[in-house]
Amino acid sequence: AQKVTQAQTEISVVEKEDVTLDCVYETRDTTYYLFWYKQPPSGELVFLIRRNSFDEQNEISGRYSWNFQKSTSSFNFTITASQVVDSAVYFCALSEAGNQGGKLIFGQGTELSVKP
Amino acid sequence: EAGVVQSPRYKIIEKKQPVAFWCNPISGHNTLYWYRQNLGQGPELLIRYENEEAVDDSQLPKDRFSAERLKGVDSTLKIQPAELGDSAVYLCASSFLDKRDTEAFFGQGTRLTVV
């Protein structure tokens, strides 16, 4: 069965602090894809990153970085030097490449609040 | 490039009334999804179309929900009759699923309140 767990429901930090959002997933497929989406108050889900199961290289994009570890089934997301505009709900999601290809299984989301 | 467009943004109806949501995906995207997002939860898939065909509707409550994607472009999701528990945000997304690893792009959603 596929499952995504984001254990942190809410996180509050002060601007310029670093923050890591945790994501743990479960799947039986050997080929799968992991995603992070941002949902600001406007409601639209904004795509941030996609990772396939064969690529465990960590990735950095500006203040964002992602740590993918298959050994622990984790795909954590770090924001460096957080800003107020980073305040949003962040979702981790899993997509399996088999018959369910394209279907996203989302975690419960982590609400990040960055205070000035 | 225009994103996924959904309408209406908000809808308030009384229980037992019908309601319909409309979605226009990104041009050229062959796959369209409807997700439901309950308050404080992640979105859950209701139905997925590849072109005109519904390839995954296992999570769609078929007694009251229906969807169509005529001509493989825009789509309509209908609820009849609505129940109090249907209050949620209904999100439409689209992707080009020629390769299995393309990301889905989401619209802003329709927030439904059933009173």
Side-chain angles (χ1 to χ4, degrees), chain B residues 81-100:
Chain B
E83 297 179 352
L84 294 176
D86 297 331
S87 295
V89 176
Y90 291 82
L91 292 161
C92 180
S94 69
S95 66
F96 185 68
L97 216 63
D98 186 27
K99 298 179 182 179
R100 294 286 180 180

PDB file of all heavy atoms in Angstrom, chain B residues 81-100:
ATOM      1  N   PRO B  81     -27.468  14.301  -5.240  1.00  0.00           N
ATOM      2  CA  PRO B  81     -27.610  15.527  -4.467  1.00  0.00           C
ATOM      3  C   PRO B  81     -26.418  15.723  -3.528  1.00  0.00           C
ATOM      4  O   PRO B  81     -25.784  14.756  -3.105  1.00  0.00           O
ATOM      5  CB  PRO B  81     -28.866  15.246  -3.644  1.00  0.00           C
ATOM      6  CG  PRO B  81     -28.798  13.764  -3.403  1.00  0.00           C
ATOM      7  CD  PRO B  81     -28.146  13.167  -4.618  1.00  0.00           C
ATOM      8  N   ALA B  82     -26.129  16.956  -3.201  1.00  0.00           N
ATOM      9  CA  ALA B  82     -25.006  17.241  -2.301  1.00  0.00           C
ATOM     10  C   ALA B  82     -25.379  16.922  -0.855  1.00  0.00           C
ATOM     11  O   ALA B  82     -26.537  17.066  -0.449  1.00  0.00           O
ATOM     12  CB  ALA B  82     -24.584  18.702  -2.435  1.00  0.00           C
ATOM     13  N   GLU B  83     -24.377  16.491  -0.099  1.00  0.00           N
ATOM     14  CA  GLU B  83     -24.537  16.218   1.325  1.00  0.00           C
ATOM     15  C   GLU B  83     -23.595  17.127   2.108  1.00  0.00           C
ATOM     16  O   GLU B  83     -22.633  17.658   1.549  1.00  0.00           O
ATOM     17  CB  GLU B  83     -24.224  14.748   1.621  1.00  0.00           C
ATOM     18  CG  GLU B  83     -25.160  13.784   0.935  1.00  0.00           C
ATOM     19  CD  GLU B  83     -24.816  12.335   1.229  1.00  0.00           C
ATOM     20  OE1 GLU B  83     -23.743  12.079   1.844  1.00  0.00           O
ATOM     21  OE2 GLU B  83     -25.622  11.454   0.852  1.00  0.00           O
ATOM     22  N   LEU B  84     -23.868  17.270   3.397  1.00  0.00           N
ATOM     23  CA  LEU B  84     -23.048  18.140   4.229  1.00  0.00           C
ATOM     24  C   LEU B  84     -21.570  17.744   4.169  1.00  0.00           C
ATOM     25  O   LEU B  84     -20.676  18.589   4.130  1.00  0.00           O
ATOM     26  CB  LEU B  84     -23.533  18.115   5.681  1.00  0.00           C
ATOM     27  CG  LEU B  84     -24.924  18.691   5.939  1.00  0.00           C
ATOM     28  CD1 LEU B  84     -25.303  18.512   7.408  1.00  0.00           C
ATOM     29  CD2 LEU B  84     -24.991  20.153   5.551  1.00  0.00           C
ATOM     30  N   GLY B  85     -21.321  16.450   4.115  1.00  0.00           N
ATOM     31  CA  GLY B  85     -19.951  15.945   4.096  1.00  0.00           C
ATOM     32  C   GLY B  85     -19.198  16.217   2.813  1.00  0.00           C
ATOM     33  O   GLY B  85     -17.997  15.947   2.727  1.00  0.00           O
ATOM     34  N   ASP B  86     -19.881  16.739   1.813  1.00  0.00           N
ATOM     35  CA  ASP B  86     -19.213  17.060   0.550  1.00  0.00           C
ATOM     36  C   ASP B  86     -18.503  18.405   0.606  1.00  0.00           C
ATOM     37  O   ASP B  86     -17.795  18.768  -0.338  1.00  0.00           O
ATOM     38  CB  ASP B  86     -20.228  17.082  -0.597  1.00  0.00           C
ATOM     39  CG  ASP B  86     -20.872  15.730  -0.841  1.00  0.00           C
ATOM     40  OD1 ASP B  86     -20.209  14.704  -0.566  1.00  0.00           O
ATOM     41  OD2 ASP B  86     -22.035  15.698  -1.282  1.00  0.00           O
ATOM     42  N   SER B  87     -18.695  19.136   1.686  1.00  0.00           N
ATOM     43  CA  SER B  87     -18.005  20.426   1.819  1.00  0.00           C
ATOM     44  C   SER B  87     -16.497  20.185   1.799  1.00  0.00           C
ATOM     45  O   SER B  87     -15.960  19.433   2.617  1.00  0.00           O
ATOM     46  CB  SER B  87     -18.400  21.108   3.131  1.00  0.00           C
ATOM     47  OG  SER B  87     -19.774  21.452   3.123  1.00  0.00           O
ATOM     48  N   ALA B  88     -15.816  20.816   0.854  1.00  0.00           N
ATOM     49  CA  ALA B  88     -14.383  20.599   0.641  1.00  0.00           C
ATOM     50  C   ALA B  88     -13.932  21.530  -0.477  1.00  0.00           C
ATOM     51  O   ALA B  88     -14.743  22.249  -1.066  1.00  0.00           O
ATOM     52  CB  ALA B  88     -14.107  19.149   0.239  1.00  0.00           C
ATOM     53  N   VAL B  89     -12.649  21.474  -0.770  1.00  0.00           N
ATOM     54  CA  VAL B  89     -12.121  22.152  -1.962  1.00  0.00           C
ATOM     55  C   VAL B  89     -11.924  21.095  -3.040  1.00  0.00           C
ATOM     56  O   VAL B  89     -11.310  20.051  -2.793  1.00  0.00           O
ATOM     57  CB  VAL B  89     -10.793  22.866  -1.670  1.00  0.00           C
ATOM     58  CG1 VAL B  89     -10.221  23.465  -2.957  1.00  0.00           C
ATOM     59  CG2 VAL B  89     -10.987  23.955  -0.627  1.00  0.00           C
ATOM     60  N   TYR B  90     -12.442  21.367  -4.217  1.00  0.00           N
ATOM     61  CA  TYR B  90     -12.313  20.446  -5.336  1.00  0.00           C
ATOM     62  C   TYR B  90     -11.274  21.019  -6.292  1.00  0.00           C
ATOM     63  O   TYR B  90     -11.430  22.111  -6.839  1.00  0.00           O
ATOM     64  CB  TYR B  90     -13.664  20.233  -6.009  1.00  0.00           C
ATOM     65  CG  TYR B  90     -14.596  19.463  -5.097  1.00  0.00           C
ATOM     66  CD1 TYR B  90     -15.311  20.112  -4.086  1.00  0.00           C
ATOM     67  CD2 TYR B  90     -14.700  18.079  -5.186  1.00  0.00           C
ATOM     68  CE1 TYR B  90     -16.115  19.410  -3.207  1.00  0.00           C
ATOM     69  CE2 TYR B  90     -15.521  17.363  -4.318  1.00  0.00           C
ATOM     70  CZ  TYR B  90     -16.217  18.030  -3.334  1.00  0.00           C
ATOM     71  OH  TYR B  90     -17.002  17.326  -2.463  1.00  0.00           O
ATOM     72  N   LEU B  91     -10.203  20.258  -6.451  1.00  0.00           N
ATOM     73  CA  LEU B  91      -9.060  20.705  -7.243  1.00  0.00           C
ATOM     74  C   LEU B  91      -8.985  19.939  -8.551  1.00  0.00           C
ATOM     75  O   LEU B  91      -9.137  18.715  -8.577  1.00  0.00           O
ATOM     76  CB  LEU B  91      -7.757  20.462  -6.472  1.00  0.00           C
ATOM     77  CG  LEU B  91      -7.537  21.312  -5.224  1.00  0.00           C
ATOM     78  CD1 LEU B  91      -6.477  20.667  -4.333  1.00  0.00           C
ATOM     79  CD2 LEU B  91      -7.115  22.715  -5.599  1.00  0.00           C
ATOM     80  N   CYS B  92      -8.734  20.664  -9.606  1.00  0.00           N
ATOM     81  CA  CYS B  92      -8.495  20.057 -10.905  1.00  0.00           C
ATOM     82  C   CYS B  92      -7.007  20.199 -11.222  1.00  0.00           C
ATOM     83  O   CYS B  92      -6.371  21.211 -10.877  1.00  0.00           O
ATOM     84  CB  CYS B  92      -9.333  20.741 -11.974  1.00  0.00           C
ATOM     85  SG  CYS B  92      -9.117  20.078 -13.634  1.00  0.00           S
ATOM     86  N   ALA B  93      -6.442  19.200 -11.859  1.00  0.00           N
ATOM     87  CA  ALA B  93      -5.039  19.254 -12.259  1.00  0.00           C
ATOM     88  C   ALA B  93      -4.892  18.628 -13.640  1.00  0.00           C
ATOM     89  O   ALA B  93      -5.747  17.848 -14.075  1.00  0.00           O
ATOM     90  CB  ALA B  93      -4.158  18.517 -11.251  1.00  0.00           C
ATOM     91  N   SER B  94      -3.806  18.979 -14.304  1.00  0.00           N
ATOM     92  CA  SER B  94      -3.545  18.351 -15.603  1.00  0.00           C
ATOM     93  C   SER B  94      -2.058  18.097 -15.770  1.00  0.00           C
ATOM     94  O   SER B  94      -1.219  18.729 -15.113  1.00  0.00           O
ATOM     95  CB  SER B  94      -4.067  19.218 -16.755  1.00  0.00           C
ATOM     96  OG  SER B  94      -3.309  20.405 -16.907  1.00  0.00           O
ATOM     97  N   SER B  95      -1.748  17.143 -16.630  1.00  0.00           N
ATOM     98  CA  SER B  95      -0.351  16.842 -16.923  1.00  0.00           C
ATOM     99  C   SER B  95      -0.271  16.236 -18.314  1.00  0.00           C
ATOM    100  O   SER B  95      -1.288  15.834 -18.889  1.00  0.00           O
ATOM    101  CB  SER B  95       0.237  15.876 -15.886  1.00  0.00           C
ATOM    102  OG  SER B  95      -0.393  14.610 -15.972  1.00  0.00           O
ATOM    103  N   PHE B  96       0.963  16.170 -18.843  1.00  0.00           N
ATOM    104  CA  PHE B  96       1.169  15.475 -20.104  1.00  0.00           C
ATOM    105  C   PHE B  96       1.835  14.158 -19.761  1.00  0.00           C
ATOM    106  O   PHE B  96       3.029  14.104 -19.481  1.00  0.00           O
ATOM    107  CB  PHE B  96       2.019  16.291 -21.066  1.00  0.00           C
ATOM    108  CG  PHE B  96       2.132  15.643 -22.411  1.00  0.00           C
ATOM    109  CD1 PHE B  96       1.015  15.552 -23.228  1.00  0.00           C
ATOM    110  CD2 PHE B  96       3.314  15.098 -22.847  1.00  0.00           C
ATOM    111  CE1 PHE B  96       1.093  14.929 -24.467  1.00  0.00           C
ATOM    112  CE2 PHE B  96       3.408  14.477 -24.078  1.00  0.00           C
ATOM    113  CZ  PHE B  96       2.294  14.396 -24.892  1.00  0.00           C
ATOM    114  N   LEU B  97       1.044  13.087 -19.775  1.00  0.00           N
ATOM    115  CA  LEU B  97       1.525  11.815 -19.238  1.00  0.00           C
ATOM    116  C   LEU B  97       2.046  10.898 -20.331  1.00  0.00           C
ATOM    117  O   LEU B  97       1.750   9.722 -20.368  1.00  0.00           O
ATOM    118  CB  LEU B  97       0.414  11.130 -18.449  1.00  0.00           C
ATOM    119  CG  LEU B  97       0.894  10.381 -17.216  1.00  0.00           C
ATOM    120  CD1 LEU B  97       1.528  11.326 -16.216  1.00  0.00           C
ATOM    121  CD2 LEU B  97      -0.251   9.639 -16.554  1.00  0.00           C
ATOM    122  N   ASP B  98       2.834  11.439 -21.217  1.00  0.00           N
ATOM    123  CA  ASP B  98       3.483  10.579 -22.209  1.00  0.00           C
ATOM    124  C   ASP B  98       4.579   9.789 -21.504  1.00  0.00           C
ATOM    125  O   ASP B  98       4.717   8.597 -21.664  1.00  0.00           O
ATOM    126  CB  ASP B  98       4.062  11.426 -23.335  1.00  0.00           C
ATOM    127  CG  ASP B  98       4.621  10.556 -24.443  1.00  0.00           C
ATOM    128  OD1 ASP B  98       4.131   9.420 -24.599  1.00  0.00           O
ATOM    129  OD2 ASP B  98       5.539  10.983 -25.136  1.00  0.00           O
ATOM    130  N   LYS B  99       5.385  10.493 -20.723  1.00  0.00           N
ATOM    131  CA  LYS B  99       6.273   9.841 -19.771  1.00  0.00           C
ATOM    132  C   LYS B  99       5.562   9.836 -18.439  1.00  0.00           C
ATOM    133  O   LYS B  99       4.787  10.729 -18.150  1.00  0.00           O
ATOM    134  CB  LYS B  99       7.580  10.626 -19.632  1.00  0.00           C
ATOM    135  CG  LYS B  99       8.379  10.709 -20.902  1.00  0.00           C
ATOM    136  CD  LYS B  99       9.644  11.528 -20.655  1.00  0.00           C
ATOM    137  CE  LYS B  99      10.447  11.665 -21.931  1.00  0.00           C
ATOM    138  NZ  LYS B  99      11.657  12.465 -21.705  1.00  0.00           N
ATOM    139  N   ARG B 100       5.859   8.858 -17.602  1.00  0.00           N
ATOM    140  CA  ARG B 100       5.122   8.733 -16.353  1.00  0.00           C
ATOM    141  C   ARG B 100       5.601   9.686 -15.286  1.00  0.00           C
ATOM    142  O   ARG B 100       5.053   9.738 -14.210  1.00  0.00           O
ATOM    143  CB  ARG B 100       5.222   7.303 -15.826  1.00  0.00           C
ATOM    144  CG  ARG B 100       4.541   6.277 -16.714  1.00  0.00           C
ATOM    145  CD  ARG B 100       3.035   6.370 -16.600  1.00  0.00           C
ATOM    146  NE  ARG B 100       2.357   5.390 -17.442  1.00  0.00           N
ATOM    147  CZ  ARG B 100       1.053   5.250 -17.532  1.00  0.00           C
ATOM    148  NH1 ARG B 100       0.276   6.027 -16.820  1.00  0.00           N
ATOM    149  NH2 ARG B 100       0.522   4.354 -18.323  1.00  0.00           N
TER     150      ARG B 100
END
